[in-house]
Amino acid sequence: MMTKLTRAMKCTLTIFVLLTNVLLLQAQNVVKTESDVLKFKAAGFVHYSDFGAKGDGKTDDIDAIVATHAFANEHGLSVKADNEATYYIGGKEHTAFIQTDTDFGTANFIIDDTDVENRNAPVFIVSSTLKPFKLNTIASIKKNQEKIDVHLPSSCLITVTNSNVKQYIRFGLNQNNGSSQTDIFLVDKRGNVDSKAPIIWDFENITDMTALPIDEKLLKISGGIFTTIANKVESKYTYFNRNIAIRRSNVLVDGLQHLIKGEGDHGAPYGGFINIGECAYVMVKNTILTGHLTYGTIGAAGKPVSMGTYDLSVNRALNISFVNCSQTNDINDTKYWGILGSNFCKNLLYEGCTLSRFDAHQGVANATIRNSTLGHMGINAIGSGLLTIENSTIRGRSFVNLRSDYGSTWQGKLVIRNCIFVPAGGKSISAPLIGGANSSQHNFGYTCYLPEKIIIENLRIEDANPPANYQGPTIFANFNPEMKDDTYEERFPYVRKSKVKLKNITTASGKKLRVSDNIFMFKDVKVH
């Protein structure tokens, strides 16, 4: 579902770019004199009230907000909200483009989603003045290739696609036919690939290759209290994206708050109030978010499913950090869906966060969770590289869940150090450290792996409330109960030759950590 969202956002962004000139004309109609322009330039910033915003919480101020940013973008000025103002934003299809520093301050923004013209139209798009361009001279690339044959005007974010190959062919209630093979990586102007975000696939053919120049100057967005009045439409996969969409590299979001009101017994899901995509080097810090109520629908397999709905979303993005972020509702309350969803990313970081979930759907290359507490949906990921969890408390059903709908694969290394695991927040369940499932009968579009190397040091497992006949915690869940002996045939073999290093593992139950309830399946795992 989240890949479709990205395509929709691209189409919307194209339409809005065509509207930019119109928005500039609107700004010019508000600022009628040369002395006005000189006054704003001398101050270095403009307020929304300078362009007609009422800020009374009743008048729809979106036109004034759009005009303010259009003028600021044209003249290189910062934008400031009026302190203590409350800006009401109705359902009109009108988007403000942020290209300069913006201080929302202590202002409130009410985003009313009860009657909207276009659910895919963001309220704000943080955009770049730099334009993407196609690279048509490269026919193929290889995994871990260190250099591509291009000369560029500056460092660029490269997105490459082979539409002839399908990967991430999802299994289960939300099954699908997969996504086109894709990768995203950074190169300097000589084509050298950033080794910290390597190419992760072999591309025998390339059907599209796009370069997006990296903005060198940091763009800062600070403050603001945003309240979404939730939609009340039918509960289907018709995602709402009335949000802040970040489509520019080198951005800092600091001190923002997002609240949600008006959720009832049904509604469509959300694609992330902070929606980051097609960019690199974005940090969200000191920000307070809100989890959405979980609604159900009928999935692709014709059976009831719970719909994923997000306040944070990251797609096709590199070097994205969430620092000192939290949420307004209880991270252990199962009524609310996990707060983050991501696809096709590299180098994701949680630092000092208290959130209900970390999730990488269609793969992440390298992820770090430090000094954080994660709630009832815990850590969900598939991908490659290094997955590190340090100095953190995890309250999910497993310490790390390798998503079974994408093959429970991690091609690389897993490190767990100085952590506490509270299985299901203290409920009476078994306690696998690494959860997942793979029957070896489904083609996901790639070979699936257990982590090649697993290091677990200084881990406390709070399993003081075990179920009946509890034998003790396990390193691995029973990924395939049908695999009991050598007669089991794997159509798509699951590579399970892991090496596990354990040091100082303690349990509240007093029971020792075991490999798995399925000894045969994990017989090739080496533990020391």
Side-chain angles (χ1 to χ4, degrees), residues 294 330-337 376-377 427:
T294 303
D330 184 356
I331 64 172
N332 301 304
D333 192 334
T334 58
K335 296 194 303 294
Y336 300 99
W337 194 258
H376 72 98
M377 295 189 83
K427 294 179 181 177

Side-chain angles (χ1 to χ4, degrees), residues 318-391:
L318 307 181
N319 304 331
I320 309 301
S321 303
F322 299 96
V323 179
N324 297 331
C325 294
S326 60
Q327 62 187 80
T328 62
N329 32 25
D330 184 356
I331 64 172
N332 301 304
D333 192 334
T334 58
K335 296 194 303 294
Y336 300 99
W337 194 258
I339 203 144
L340 169 76
S342 69
N343 291 294
F344 310 119
C345 291
K346 295 177 182 176
N347 302 331
L348 297 181
L349 169 68
Y350 274 11
E351 175 73 59
C353 291
T354 302
L355 298 169
S356 57
R357 179 168 85 156
F358 174 93
D359 199 3
H361 288 72
Q362 297 182 72
V364 60
N366 305 322
T368 301
I369 297 167
R370 285 196 302 254
N371 306 313
S372 295
T373 300
L374 298 188
H376 72 98
M377 295 189 83
I379 301 169
N380 300 268
I382 56 120
S384 60
L386 176 60
L387 175 57
T388 302
I389 305 102
E390 295 181 322
N391 303 311

Side-chain angles (χ1 to χ4, degrees), residues 48 65 81 86-87 89 104 107-111 124 224-227:
Y48 292 132
I65 291 171
T86 298
Y87 303 104
I89 298 171
F104 294 124
N108 288 272
F109 295 78
I110 299 173
I111 301 172
F124 297 94
I225 303 167
F226 295 81
T227 301

Side-chain angles (χ1 to χ4, degrees), residues 52-282:
K54 301 299 184 185
D56 58 11
K58 300 177 181 179
T59 305
D60 193 335
D61 283 324
I62 189 60
D63 289 344
I65 291 171
V66 167
T68 305
H69 283 285
F71 180 86
N73 296 341
E74 183 183 17
H75 296 284
L77 302 174
S78 299
V79 172
K80 292 187 177 183
D82 300 273
N83 287 332
E84 311 308 326
T86 298
Y87 303 104
Y88 174 81
I89 298 171
K92 181 187 295 187
E93 183 180 354
H94 214 175
T95 296
F97 286 84
I98 298 177
Q99 295 178 346
T100 63
D101 289 351
T102 298
D103 183 4
F104 294 124
T106 59
N108 288 272
F109 295 78
I110 299 173
I111 301 172
D112 190 345
D113 284 353
T114 56
D115 184 17
V116 302
E117 294 179 352
N118 182 357
R119 60 184 171 82
N120 284 317
V123 177
F124 297 94
I125 293 181
V126 184
S127 65
S128 174
T129 58
L130 305 174
K131 303 302 180 186
F133 54 93
K134 299 294 183 181
L135 299 176
N136 298 317
T137 60
I138 300 175
S140 64
I141 56 175
K142 293 291 186 181
K143 179 179 178 179
N144 292 324
Q145 185 172 323
E146 296 179 356
K147 182 180 174 64
I148 61 174
D149 187 16
V150 292
H151 292 281
L152 302 168
S154 65
S155 296
C156 288
L157 185 66
I158 308 294
T159 301
V160 59
T161 302
N162 182 0
S163 60
N164 300 312
V165 173
K166 297 299 179 184
Q167 295 177 320
Y168 302 104
I169 304 169
R170 198 171 189 180
F171 175 78
L173 298 179
N174 283 317
Q175 63 193 32
N176 60 35
N177 295 321
S179 301
S180 294
Q181 184 184 41
T182 188
D183 203 354
I184 184 168
F185 53 94
L186 293 167
V187 299
D188 64 19
K189 61 184 181 181
R190 295 179 179 84
N192 296 304
V193 179
D194 183 351
S195 62
K196 296 179 180 178
I199 299 169
I200 61 173
W201 304 109
D202 289 333
F203 285 79
E204 294 183 1
N205 295 287
I206 293 174
T207 55
D208 182 82
M209 197 169 192
T210 302
L212 178 63
I214 301 292
D215 291 270
E216 294 184 2
K217 182 182 178 182
L218 180 67
L219 190 153
K220 299 178 182 178
I221 298 171
S222 57
I225 303 167
F226 295 81
T227 301
T228 294
I229 301 177
N231 76 80
K232 296 174 175 61
V233 301
E234 185 179 355
S235 294
K236 298 191 302 183
Y237 279 117
T238 51
Y239 276 91
F240 272 60
N241 288 288
R242 301 249 300 157
N243 53 21
I244 299 175
I246 299 176
R247 300 294 182 266
R248 178 200 193 271
S249 295
N250 208 2
V251 174
L252 171 64
V253 177
D254 188 0
L256 181 147
Q257 297 182 48
H258 180 234
L259 312 174
I260 301 167
K261 291 185 177 180
E263 289 183 315
D265 58 5
H266 66 277
Y270 280 83
F273 182 73
I274 297 178
N275 184 297
I276 302 168
E278 311 288 343
C279 58
Y281 305 110
V282 175

